[in-house]
Structures are given as C-alpha cells and as structure tokens.
Amino acid sequence: MSTDQQPPQARSGMFRTKTVEQSIRDTEEPEHALRKSLSAWDLTVFGVGVIIGTGIFVLTGKVAKENAGPATALAFIAAGIVCALAALCYAEFASTVPVAGSAYTFAYASIGELPAWIIGWDLVLEFALGTAVVAVGWSGYVRSLMDNVDWHLPAALEGPDAPGGTFDILAFLLVLVLTVILVLGMKLSARITALVVAIKVTVVMIVIVAGLFFIVGDNYDPFIPPAITPEGGGSAWDAPLVQTIFGYEPTNFGVMGIFTAASVVFFAFIGFDVVATAAEETKLPQRDMPRGILGSLLICTVLYVAVALVVTGMQHYSELSVSAPLADAFKAVGHPFYAGVISFGAAVGLTTVCLILLLGQTRVFFAMSRDGLLPRFFSITHPRFRTPYRPTILLGVIIAIVAGFTSINELATLVNIGTLFAFVVVAAGVIVLRRTRPDLHRSFRTPWVPALPIISIAASVWLMLNLPGETWFRFAVWMVIGVVVYFLYGRSHSRLGKQGQDAQY
C-alpha cells in the first residue's frame, strides 16, 4: 500500500496513533532489530512454561479453602473463559502487528499514545511484580527441598519471610542467572524452557493420574459450599469491590465465591499474553502467534481443571494446605514420595515462569524505548545476540534486589488487575482497528466482532470488580504515577510527536 493510501494521522497530541506499517518498519532498523528465531512450538512451550506455575502449585489450596471449595474447578473454567475471549483478540493483533510490546504496541496502533503509555506502564508493573513474586516462591520450594536433605542456609539469607531473615539470596541469584540467559539469546531461552516445561508437565500429570486413586467422593459434598460471612464480618477494604458497590455483606463460598476465586486463580493463567511480546522474534508470526497463544491456553486450562478436581477429591477443601496444597495432599494420604516429586517439579517449573515474565517485561520496555517514550538508550540491541540487553540487565538487577529484600504477600491480586486491564484495552483496540483500518491484512481474525470483544471487556471488568478495594487503590496510585511520568518525559520525547502531522507516520 502506498503512503497516500494509508489513513492520515487523524489524531494528534495524546491520542495520536502509530500506523501498523510504521511499527513494522521500526523493527527493520539494524541497531533496533531483534533476531527472528521462534516457531509455533517454541511459542506454545513458552506459553505453557509461564502459565503453569505459582497459580496451580499454590493458589489452588488457598481459593478452595477460603472461597470456592471443590467448585474451584469451576473457578478455573470461568477464568479460562475470560482468558480465551482475550486470547482471540490478542491472536488477531499479534498476527497483524508482529512487533515487540504486546498490548502496548496494539494500543499504540489503535487507540492512541497516552492509552498505549498507560498500558505499557501497567505491563511493566505486572511483569516486574510477577517475576519477583514467583522468584520468592521458587526460593521457598528450594529451601524446603534443602531441608529434606538437612541442608540449611544461614538464617539471614533466607529472606524477610523467614525468622531472622533479611535477604533472600536464592531469589536474588535466580533472577540474575535468568537475566544472563535472556541476554545470550531467545533460542537458548527457548531450549532451556522446553526442558523445564517437560519436567513441569510431567509433574502435573503425576498429580492427576496418581491422585485419581485417592479420590474420596464425600470430599465433593457439597460441591459448591453454602455462602458464609467471613469471621469478624470482613471489611469493605478487603472485600471484592462488587460487594462494596452494591452494599451487601461480604461472603465466602456460594456462587459469588466462585467468581471471587476466579479473580484470584486468574493469576494462574497469566502468561499467554506474554507470548504476544515475542511476536517480533517469531519466524512466521502471522501463522504461529495464534497457534502459540491459543494452544498454550487450551492445554493449561484442561490441566488446571483436572488438578483442581483431583486435589479437592483427595482431601477435604477445609483441610487443604495453603502453602503447598498439591504436595501436602499426597502427604495427607500417606504418600510422601509423590509430595517430594511435586515439590521438585514446582521448584524447577517456577524457573521458567520467572524467565518468561522477565522476557515479557524487557520486550515491553524495549518497545516503549524504541518509540521514545522511555530513553532511546534502552532500545539498542546487542551487536552479536540481537537481544535488548540494556533493559534486560537494568530490570533484571532491579527485580533481583526487590526479590531479595522484599516480603511479598498480597501482590498476586495487583498483578491480576493489571493483566485484566490490559485485556480490556486489547479487546477495545480490536474494535477500533477494525473500523479505522479495515484494509489491513489479518491472517487471523477474531470472530464475531464487535460482539466477542465487548463480551471480553465485560468479563474482564467483572473479574476486576471481584478483586478487593485495596487492590484497586494500589492500582490507581501506580496509574497516576504513570500519567505524571508521561507528561514529564514521554510526551515531549515521543518519536511520533517529534515527527509531527506531516511526517511519514
């Protein structure tokens, strides 16, 4: 398509958009180009690698015990449906705009610069906190395994959550090692991820197959426990926002408990959107991105539902462990060997979660830098490895320090609200880009537009409303800080803004 056939830059200022053609041209600048080395198989492995992690190994017990009981399986289905709706929108964008940055790049091409900045700022928080949370969880599993063979770290190096601990040396070192791997190249990262994912999926299958022999039917009665008021009555600050809005008393379990559980176990699905950040490094993104995104989500949803049914059938939901529900369920039925295997698989598996979350964050940061919204210094790729080594090193060191010194307890919900917000923006972007650029070639088309994206937006907002008011407050504070940074730096340094209305954009 010639330049004069392209739609003019109709909007200016904060809502100026960057055309798909220019986004793709930017990826061809030698010093800002990433190496294309990934296949559909690599993308699916990445997706499974990051999705199966803390959510299934830890959160299953928490939500079953506190929110949904055996109906936790239904919570996983509800969260999976919300993700599937969003995944169809992501697949269209990732195949149409195969550029690093995921939802940030998609928003820039459809809604405008300020919304793109906001979603990029949101994703930086999401991936950073996710990496730190998982690194600390990984450290806990490794220390547990070390305790089994009577190896112990000095108390001061076990992390703030341990008695007498001040610095989590294991979490710190994990993030640094993964940073080095990402600097060395995507293909190396993909090979390591493939090996670890094989171990992780094997462990999940062990839980499902071995656990089938220990299911007790009475543990499913009642499948949806009756709603109860939490001890002490709960507070509006801690209750799901939807309960506060409509003014009814906070409750656990019941039908509403399933939705509350879905908004929490949603953390277990975070990852398929990270696949979209690797679009620029994919050999055939128009074909392989939809396969990688939808394939990894389908595989993980089936495994999650099966694990939830098995674990709540092995042990009554009221007795499930919150810290290690899968392993402790096997201990409860007298099979500590399986518990050890699960702990080992969880520890190994969480490494890929950290790796791919860190990958996603650096690609978003890289894309924002290439557009000038962050310093262009960070958009220079390594001359040999063709990786964005500068933001990778910077963010890796910062996250390693955060993971080492910080006790992270309630951040999963903050990661969730950030991801759901990204889903809303991407779904809205599909509708907008269909109207403003109907001429674009779309190798994958989201079905039933605009109905499906609207349903996706509604479903994502509903899960957001089931998160506590405190989470909304923290999220709002981070967004306000982001808007301030945009007006102080991003707006005046934007490449798109400097080009002006008459430039090639």
Side-chain angles (χ1 to χ4, degrees):
M1 174 184 295
S2 65
T3 304
D4 60 352
Q5 289 177 303
Q6 295 176 18
Q9 191 60 43
R11 287 172 284 179
S12 61
M14 296 179 293
F15 293 94
R16 53 196 170 214
T17 55
K18 181 179 180 181
T19 66
V20 173
E21 291 80 4
Q22 183 59 40
S23 293
I24 294 174
R25 279 199 298 272
D26 284 350
T27 69
E28 298 167 355
E29 298 175 356
E31 64 177 2
H32 302 289
L34 299 173
R35 176 172 293 163
K36 297 182 181 295
S37 60
L38 301 179
S39 65
W41 171 252
D42 292 327
L43 295 172
T44 303
V45 169
F46 269 133
V48 174
V50 70
I51 296 172
I52 297 180
T54 303
I56 190 62
F57 286 120
V58 178
L59 294 180
T60 304
K62 174 181 172 60
V63 298
K65 195 168 187 175
E66 300 176 2
N67 302 115
T72 297
L74 298 181
F76 275 115
I77 292 174
I81 290 172
V82 174
C83 290
L85 294 171
L88 290 168
C89 299
Y90 268 88
E92 174 170 324
F93 259 129
S95 60
T96 307
V97 194
V99 178
S102 186
Y104 158 76
T105 301
F106 307 156
Y108 212 162
S110 57
I111 304 176
E113 184 173 278
L114 178 59
W117 164 267
I118 290 174
I119 199 63
W121 185 254
D122 165 54
L123 291 175
V124 168
L125 174 70
E126 172 198 335
F127 294 150
L129 293 183
T131 304
V133 167
V134 176
V136 172
W138 174 88
S139 175
Y141 271 108
V142 172
R143 291 199 305 272
S144 176
L145 289 171
M146 292 170 64
D147 290 341
N148 291 341
V149 293
D150 205 28
W151 292 354
H152 305 283
L153 290 171
L157 298 179
E158 290 192 347
D161 290 323
T166 56
F167 182 72
D168 193 332
I169 187 66
L170 293 178
F172 175 80
L173 291 176
L174 172 67
V175 177
L176 289 186
V177 170
L178 296 180
T179 298
V180 173
I181 291 172
L182 285 175
V183 168
L184 293 179
M186 282 291 289
K187 199 60 182 178
L188 174 63
S189 304
R191 288 169 180 163
I192 293 174
T193 300
L195 174 62
V196 175
V197 167
I199 297 172
K200 185 158 52 176
V201 172
T202 299
V203 169
V204 172
M205 293 304 298
I206 288 174
V207 173
I208 296 170
V209 176
L212 287 173
F213 295 95
F214 305 107
I215 289 177
V216 177
D218 289 345
N219 288 334
Y220 291 133
D221 187 20
F223 189 75
I224 302 178
I228 62 171
T229 301
E231 188 176 345
S235 69
W237 190 248
D238 297 324
L241 187 63
V242 66
Q243 296 185 357
T244 304
I245 291 174
F246 291 103
Y248 56 88
E249 189 175 32
T251 59
N252 292 335
F253 303 107
V255 174
M256 288 303 299
I258 296 174
F259 290 113
T260 301
S263 69
V264 177
V265 300
F266 179 82
F267 184 85
F269 288 92
I270 292 175
F272 79 84
D273 57 323
V274 182
V275 174
T277 67
E280 192 174 325
E281 292 157 277
T282 303
K283 296 176 183 176
L284 297 171
Q286 290 78 10
R287 183 195 69 184
D288 293 342
M289 287 306 301
R291 294 180 180 181
I293 292 173
L294 297 171
S296 58
L297 181 61
L298 176 61
I299 291 170
C300 293
T301 302
V302 172
L303 292 177
Y304 281 0
V305 172
V307 166
L309 288 172
V310 167
V311 171
T312 53
M314 291 176 62
Q315 192 175 17
H316 193 269
Y317 70 88
S318 62
E319 300 173 355
L320 283 172
S321 162
V322 172
S323 60
L326 277 60
D328 290 347
F330 279 96
K331 289 181 182 178
V333 295
H335 288 272
F337 169 77
Y338 288 119
V341 171
I342 292 168
S343 295
F344 171 76
V348 172
L350 292 181
T351 59
T352 59
V353 181
C354 285
L355 176 72
I356 302 168
L357 286 174
L358 185 58
L359 161 74
Q361 187 191 45
T362 57
R363 269 49 179 182
V364 173
F365 199 96
F366 168 79
M368 296 173 74
S369 172
R370 190 164 58 189
D371 289 332
L373 300 180
L374 290 171
R376 289 270 289 172
F377 171 83
F378 294 108
S379 65
I380 306 297
T381 55
H382 194 281
R384 177 182 174 188
F385 304 120
R386 310 311 305 172
T387 56
Y389 68 107
R390 291 175 177 176
T392 300
I393 294 172
L394 171 69
L395 296 170
V397 170
I398 291 174
I399 295 172
I401 294 172
V402 170
F405 282 106
T406 307
S407 176
I408 303 172
N409 297 315
E410 301 295 333
L411 295 180
T413 53
L414 191 55
V415 177
N416 286 358
I417 196 171
T419 305
L420 287 164
F421 178 65
F423 286 5
V424 170
V425 172
V426 170
V430 168
I431 299 173
V432 172
L433 202 63
R434 283 284 188 96
R435 293 179 65 88
T436 59
R437 293 299 307 275
D439 57 295
L440 282 176
H441 173 68
R442 294 168 169 84
S443 52
F444 179 89
R445 297 177 66 87
T446 303
W448 309 309
V449 174
L452 188 144
I454 290 173
I455 295 172
S456 177
I457 292 171
S460 297
V461 170
W462 174 251
L463 285 191
M464 291 172 72
L465 291 174
N466 276 276
L467 290 169
E470 182 178 10
T471 299
W472 278 84
F473 175 76
R474 291 172 178 171
F475 180 69
V477 169
W478 177 255
M479 289 294 101
V480 169
I481 294 173
V483 171
V484 171
V485 173
Y486 171 76
F487 282 105
L488 291 180
Y489 182 89
R491 187 182 185 188
S492 59
H493 290 80
S494 165
R495 291 182 68 198
L496 192 59
K498 289 180 178 180
Q499 292 289 338
Q501 291 282 355
D502 298 324
Q504 63 177 336
Y505 286 90

